[in-house]
Amino acid sequence: MRRAVGAVAPASLRPLPWRATRDPWAVLVSEVMLQQTQARRVVAPFVAFMARFPTPARCAEAPLAEVVLAWAGLGYNRRAAHLHGAARSIVADHGGVVPDRLDDLEALPGVGSYTARAVLAFAYERDVAVVDVNVARVLARAVVGAPLGTVAVQTLADALVPDGRGWRWNQTLMEIGATSCTGRAPRCADCPLGRCCAWAGAGRPEPDPGRPGRRQSPFEGSDRQGRGRLVSALRRGPVPAAALAAACGWPQDGPRAERMACALVADGLARRGRTGTLRLA
DNA sequence: TTCCTGTTTG
DNA sequence: CAAACAGGAA
């Protein structure tokens, strides 16, 4: 079932196994794996996974445990479960064929905008833009010289895909983002874009448009920071009720610390003693 | 918007 | 070693 169209990867692209196939199932599997791990680490598990589950049907008929087993070394086992669910949906709802429409793909568990477009571009060779954070960064630096919102990036990226050469275009953009145009410490000297890049051409002025403007979530003072501190304290031993606020790092905010304690209990991570002392469950 | 989660990195 | 990362889900 696997076709080997274009089995030889173009010279400027690293010869990764998923670049030597247009089998949509193989592409889907590789993209889900690549969501969480760098290409180098994905190669071996990908080859083994495809040998064990060469089609959606073979994956769907296997128990989830087998799929998780084949996922060893990749982490994020929840995504293995999503892929298994996707395989079952492909068999149940699409005759065992990976769908080739954006909305059908996005309806599969674990498949969002990025992965859906990757399947369309890399398996079905459709001229859609595949936008991950790396591509967004390359476009922000090279084309615009300014940060771009999610919608603006997708619109721009779609407009740039050259007719009939979407596969190569998308692969190349992602390759540049992974090798030269990295998030931190971009290696402009080695970049094939050279002086075509708006940002490099302007002398790499600050702020770097490729650096995400919005931090992940302000960690300082967040619930997560307090929760982390509280769990750390609990690892060292039980925390009396009177010490909760200090343990969270909010000595002046007892109610907030109390909410964190309740959250930990609700999550099954901790339990309260008779006097309100909190300890690990 | 926020959370998830193993790996990478500064 | 804490924090950033990265798509997807809730």
Side-chain angles (χ1 to χ4, degrees):
Chain A
M1 204 55 178
R2 259 201 280 179
R3 291 182 298 148
V5 179
V8 178
S12 64
L13 300 177
R14 291 167 294 174
L16 302 165
W18 46 89
R19 285 178 171 162
T21 181
R22 298 296 183 274
D23 171 18
W25 172 242
V27 170
L28 176 60
V29 170
S30 71
E31 289 300 337
V32 173
M33 291 181 170
L34 288 165
Q35 286 173 12
Q36 58 194 43
T37 309
Q38 290 179 327
R40 206 177 61 89
R41 274 184 61 83
V42 166
V43 172
F46 169 77
V47 172
F49 192 98
M50 290 307 299
R52 173 65 184 80
F53 305 110
T55 65
R58 295 293 300 278
C59 183
E61 73 195 15
L64 172 60
E66 285 239 14
V67 178
V68 173
L69 214 60
W71 206 256
L74 289 170
Y76 290 90
N77 287 308
R78 167 183 291 179
R79 289 179 178 163
H82 282 153
L83 186 59
H84 184 241
R88 294 201 157 169
S89 170
I90 288 165
V91 168
D93 306 328
H94 300 97
V97 179
V98 177
D100 67 344
R101 288 179 30 189
L102 194 60
D103 52 352
D104 287 337
L105 283 164
E106 288 186 352
L108 299 173
V111 177
S113 164
Y114 164 78
T115 308
R117 287 167 177 275
V119 169
L120 289 180
F122 298 141
Y124 292 112
E125 301 204 48
R126 300 262 287 279
D127 289 335
V128 300
V130 184
V131 177
D132 65 357
V133 293
N134 301 291
V135 171
R137 182 175 57 242
V138 173
L139 295 182
R141 282 181 183 148
V143 180
V144 186
L148 287 162
T150 317
V151 176
V153 171
Q154 187 68 60
T155 305
L156 171 65
D158 280 329
L160 291 176
V161 178
D163 266 12
R165 293 200 295 279
W167 189 95
R168 180 60 192 268
W169 174 266
N170 282 295
Q171 291 282 3
T172 302
L173 276 188
M174 302 190 75
E175 186 79 358
I176 291 171
T179 55
S180 316
C181 196
T182 53
R184 288 180 282 248
R187 307 175 52 187
C188 298
D190 302 336
C191 184
L193 263 43
R195 52 197 175 78
C196 296
C197 173
W199 185 57
R204 297 175 53 164
E206 292 293 343
D208 175 357
R211 215 150 74 178
R214 295 163 195 150
R215 319 203 301 275
Q216 183 132 18
S217 55
F219 179 74
E220 191 64 33
S222 69
D223 276 5
R224 298 171 77 173
Q225 183 185 39
R227 181 183 168 111
R229 280 200 281 246
L230 184 50
V231 171
S232 290
L234 287 168
R235 271 198 277 264
R236 292 191 293 270
V239 175
L244 277 179
C248 288
W250 308 317
Q252 78 295 359
D253 198 344
R256 192 180 183 192
E258 182 57 33
R259 286 197 299 274
M260 294 316 305
C262 288
L264 287 182
V265 172
D267 289 347
L269 282 170
R271 57 189 168 84
R272 308 303 288 263
R274 287 190 317 277
T275 60
T277 297
L278 194 71
R279 67 194 68 216
L280 288 179

